[in-house]
Amino acid sequence: MQENRFKYEAIADNIRDAIRLGSLRTGDRLQSIRQTSRELGVSNASVFKAYYHLESEGLIECRPKSGYYVRYHLQDSQPPSCQLLNEDACEVSNQALIQEFLATKLAHPDHLDLSTAVPSTELLPIAGLKKSIQKSYLNDPRAATAYENTTGHSGLKRSICQFGLNWGSVIAENEVVITNGCMEAIALSLSILTEPGDTIALESPVYYGLLQLIQHLKLKIVEIPADPTTGISLDDLEQVIHHQDLKAILVIPNFNNPTGSLVPDENKQRLVAMATEHQIPIIEDDIYGELYFSEPRPKNCKSFDEDGWVIYCSSFSKTLVPGFRVGWCIPGRFHEEFVQRKYVTNISTSSISQAVIAHFLTHGRYDFYLKKLRSALKTQHLQYKRAIFDYFPGKIASSNPQGGFVLWLELPKNKNALKLYQAGVKASIVIAPGQMFFARADYKNYFRISFGKPFDEAVDQALKKLGSLAATL
């Protein structure tokens, strides 16, 4: 079964690449299933499954009594533009907009939400999780009532250590601390590294929740421009390091939210070397690292860290159970301070949530589930992008993420994406206005759309409506 699965994916990838490169063009007829099966030496079922997936992505179509044809010429779009470096440290000034956005979502739960970067419930292994909830309690009733150790559930930490093998790292159980989501891991890290008024470096644009946290901690930031494809500009960061007293560097190197950028491995290695040389801690948010579309899994900064200057933070919120709020941290040389701060903040993370996830990782075929999730997100990414290109006026600039959930989109400079967001709300559609992802509210023509929801008629019509609204701005 695994072999057949590999074969159909390889066939689909080859045809997809041919369409992207223009070797197959819109209207071209594909070989029949039987002919392809004979030439490749695979079963008809493998070829049919490959064609089925390409059809679901909108790349090909089946014409009755005629065969399969290329429907859409997939092209990499022009990526959104990158900002110029401003070396001045600043405070976050977009809090009012973020609060308005969150209040709007809370007030309109019936609206079609294309703004939240989490997997749809339809993609989660609900049946397996229900079984793990039951089994984890039956195995140990204390799991639902007693405090867990401050550093976390032993079995869960052992499973997390195994993830490190995919990065090329060996992690010991006593290096891991379980947290209340990735956000707590980052908050605790910042709290032990900084004091109010300190300055940190942050790639820009960046997830608005991190900007809220930074404002709450009364920190100043220097926004380091991030390329929508390759991520944070290390040349700009190096320039800032020589002119600012930085207490930390906060990055999302794998499938950044909101741009979807992927920092190349050689850049990660250079970033760690820079931080180590200047003894500036890196707080690495790798919450999307497991959601890659193509093998192999991208490395993280932690895999290049030999001296403990990288504080690694991640979570199951984007891959398994958003509502459980279970994350983890590998604090490196800051381990003792981190555990102490964790204890005085909330003693420990929910014991039953940890037990359930530990059971699922051991018995729920987590790797198999993740492979299905990645495949679904890869398909949804292409479906959303095709619809956006079809419905939005002109040639809209779009990111080309290789993993994660989000598309970062740029309207012409004379257009205001905040107005598009407001018009969308009136039409019962919610997107994320781009101004929320910058400390300064200077960039008004960007917005983010999440493709975590399976593509269906409602999503298609919502994107069509947004395209018509964009044409009127």
Side-chain angles (χ1 to χ4, degrees):
M1 182 175 179
Q2 186 65 27
E3 184 177 302
N4 289 338
R5 183 174 172 80
F6 172 78
K7 287 177 180 178
Y8 92 76
E9 288 180 335
I11 296 167
D13 285 344
N14 287 339
I15 296 174
R16 191 183 294 109
D17 287 343
I19 295 172
R20 180 177 59 82
L21 294 172
S23 303
L24 288 172
R25 300 185 178 184
T26 301
D28 285 353
R29 186 177 185 273
L30 300 181
Q31 293 184 137
S32 69
I33 290 176
R34 184 173 298 176
Q35 184 179 1
T36 302
S37 169
R38 184 169 56 250
E39 290 188 1
L40 296 180
V42 299
S43 68
N44 287 347
S46 292
V47 180
F48 176 80
K49 199 167 186 181
Y51 283 13
Y52 174 82
H53 276 263
L54 291 168
E55 188 175 19
S56 72
E57 294 172 10
L59 299 182
I60 66 174
E61 61 183 355
C62 180
R63 299 178 186 174
K65 299 182 180 181
S66 180
Y68 287 89
Y69 290 80
V70 177
R71 177 187 176 195
Y72 181 74
H73 184 187
L74 180 66
Q75 296 177 325
D76 286 342
S77 62
Q78 178 69 27
S81 57
C82 183
Q83 286 69 49
L84 297 176
L85 173 66
N86 184 336
E87 288 190 60
D88 295 334
C90 70
E91 296 178 352
V92 177
S93 61
N94 63 359
Q95 184 70 8
L97 174 59
I98 295 173
Q99 291 300 326
E100 176 191 338
F101 168 76
L102 295 175
T104 297
K105 290 182 61 171
L106 187 64
H108 300 286
D110 56 325
H111 285 15
L112 181 61
D113 187 1
L114 300 180
S115 70
T116 304
V118 294
S120 172
T121 302
E122 301 138 88
L123 301 177
L124 302 179
I126 300 300
L129 287 169
K130 286 181 178 178
K131 183 177 180 180
S132 289
I133 290 172
Q134 181 184 46
K135 292 290 186 181
S136 60
Y137 176 73
L138 291 176
N139 292 343
D140 181 10
R142 289 183 67 259
T145 57
Y147 283 135
E148 186 53 85
N149 184 286
T150 298
T151 62
H153 185 286
S154 180
L156 178 57
K157 293 195 293 179
R158 282 196 301 273
S159 293
I160 289 171
C161 289
Q162 295 173 21
F163 296 163
L165 299 177
N166 295 328
W167 324 328
S169 299
V170 177
I171 303 167
E173 181 184 330
N174 62 6
E175 295 180 70
V176 180
V177 181
I178 305 301
T179 60
N180 292 295
C182 188
M183 187 60 78
E184 186 192 40
I186 295 171
L188 292 175
S189 300
L190 285 172
S191 72
I192 64 176
L193 297 175
T194 65
E195 298 288 343
D198 283 345
T199 299
I200 68 169
L202 185 71
E203 59 189 319
S204 181
V206 75
Y207 171 51
Y208 60 84
L210 294 178
L211 294 175
Q212 286 183 296
L213 172 62
I214 289 165
Q215 184 185 47
H216 174 73
L217 294 174
K218 296 180 171 56
L219 302 176
K220 294 180 180 179
I221 64 174
V222 178
E223 294 181 288
I224 309 298
D227 182 277
T229 302
T230 58
I232 187 169
S233 169
L234 297 187
D235 290 341
D236 286 340
L237 176 60
E238 192 164 33
Q239 183 175 330
V240 169
I241 286 175
H242 288 97
H243 293 89
Q244 291 280 359
D245 179 20
L246 298 180
K247 301 301 182 183
I249 302 166
L250 177 54
V251 292
I252 309 174
N254 292 328
F255 319 126
N256 167 282
N257 179 7
T259 65
S261 63
L262 175 61
V263 176
D265 285 350
E266 59 269 24
N267 287 17
K268 292 170 186 165
Q269 189 170 18
R270 179 186 166 195
L271 172 58
V272 174
M274 288 168 52
T276 302
E277 178 186 354
H278 296 281
Q279 298 190 353
I280 303 173
I282 294 173
I283 302 174
E284 178 179 24
D285 179 350
D286 194 29
I287 197 170
Y288 299 100
E290 295 293 339
L291 299 177
Y292 48 91
F293 296 160
S294 301
E295 300 281 354
R297 187 211 194 276
K299 289 190 174 184
N300 45 49
C301 294
K302 190 66 181 176
S303 62
F304 298 105
D305 180 29
E306 297 180 356
D307 296 311
W309 287 100
V310 176
I311 301 178
Y312 179 85
C313 307
S314 193
S315 162
F316 295 101
S317 296
K318 305 299 184 183
T319 57
L320 189 58
V321 273
F324 273 29
R325 307 303 301 136
V326 173
W328 70 90
C329 184
I330 305 173
R333 62 171 55 229
F334 307 99
H335 183 90
E336 186 176 340
E337 297 168 86
F338 188 96
V339 173
Q340 182 181 11
R341 189 63 59 95
K342 165 70 178 174
Y343 179 80
V344 300
T345 301
N346 54 34
I347 301 178
S348 64
T349 298
S350 166
S351 53
I352 186 62
S353 297
Q354 293 186 67
V356 171
I357 294 180
H359 183 275
F360 186 87
L361 295 183
T362 304
H363 304 284
R365 305 181 72 193
Y366 184 57
D367 288 342
F368 179 74
Y369 153 70
L370 274 182
K371 193 166 187 179
K372 290 176 61 179
L373 177 61
R374 294 180 196 119
S375 178
L377 291 174
K378 183 177 182 178
T379 296
Q380 288 164 207
H381 155 242
L382 294 171
Q383 292 170 324
Y384 274 66
K385 204 164 183 179
R386 175 181 56 79
I388 289 168
F389 288 168
D390 285 348
Y391 297 142
F392 275 71
K395 292 186 177 180
I396 187 170
S398 170
S399 57
N400 293 299
Q402 300 304 305
F405 295 102
V406 295
L407 287 171
W408 182 239
L409 301 145
E410 181 182 12
L411 296 170
K413 292 194 180 298
N414 63 336
K415 304 290 187 180
N416 190 333
L418 182 59
K419 291 183 178 180
L420 177 62
Y421 155 74
Q422 293 167 340
V425 171
K426 291 180 180 178
S428 300
I429 307 164
V430 183
I431 61 174
Q435 288 164 268
M436 297 194 303
F437 299 90
F438 300 94
R440 302 175 175 90
D442 297 336
Y443 307 104
K444 300 181 180 180
N445 59 318
Y446 299 88
F447 63 102
R448 189 196 74 182
I449 281 180
S450 166
F451 51 85
K453 176 179 172 55
F455 190 86
D456 56 17
E457 182 64 22
V459 171
D460 185 68
Q461 290 303 309
L463 293 174
K464 186 174 184 179
K465 180 63 176 178
L466 288 170
S468 65
L469 292 172
T472 66
L473 294 177

